[in-house]
Amino acid sequence: MEAAFEEAMVVDFDQFLSACEGLPDENDAHVVAAALKTQAAVIVTDNLRDFPEELLRRLNLKARSADAFIADTIALDTGRAVAAVRRMRERFRKPEKTADVLLLDMEANGLTETVDVLRPRILSL
């Protein structure tokens, strides 16, 4: 049975915008403000240079690339994650994908850390 998810949007984060001063791109302030409002620990972005570690540390936040976040998530429960990736791979029909091809595609899309975590378990994928 698949879970249904409702789309959620963070609102009323304006009171946190002042804590976001010093970002290289001030247009990213809403991202940090929303993270603060929701008490998030991590901002997932591939635009890491616009979220300086020093500024985020002061706010008790970290920025991680999507690849690093996925790799970290897989490492939390590798068995379940590998099973989920296998189910995802098995859904590909036209064309079907072998585990090798799936990992090559993931790597080509920049998920190198993720592939590094999955490759030792390729026979289970």
Side-chain angles (χ1 to χ4, degrees), residues 23-50:
L23 285 171
D25 182 351
E26 62 187 40
N27 291 322
D28 289 327
H30 70 285
V31 175
V32 176
L36 292 171
K37 162 98 187 213
T38 60
Q39 299 179 347
V42 177
I43 294 171
V44 180
T45 179
D46 285 322
N47 187 16
L48 294 171
R49 72 173 171 266
D50 281 351

Side-chain angles (χ1 to χ4, degrees), residues 12-19 37:
D12 298 327
F13 54 79
D14 293 348
Q15 69 268 28
F16 296 97
L17 287 172
S18 62
K37 162 98 187 213

Side-chain angles (χ1 to χ4, degrees), residues 59-107:
L59 300 171
N60 204 27
L61 288 168
K62 289 184 179 183
R64 303 283 285 154
S65 70
D67 184 28
F69 182 80
I70 295 167
D72 290 347
T73 302
I74 290 169
L76 290 173
D77 191 340
T78 306
R80 286 180 69 185
V82 167
V85 172
R86 182 181 58 250
R87 286 190 304 274
M88 177 189 72
R89 182 189 62 76
E90 290 171 344
R91 289 186 194 133
F92 289 109
R93 296 285 179 219
K94 295 182 181 180
E96 290 185 12
K97 289 192 182 202
T98 65
D100 286 316
V101 169
L102 178 64
L103 293 182
L104 286 172
D105 287 350
M106 292 171 82
E107 203 165 42

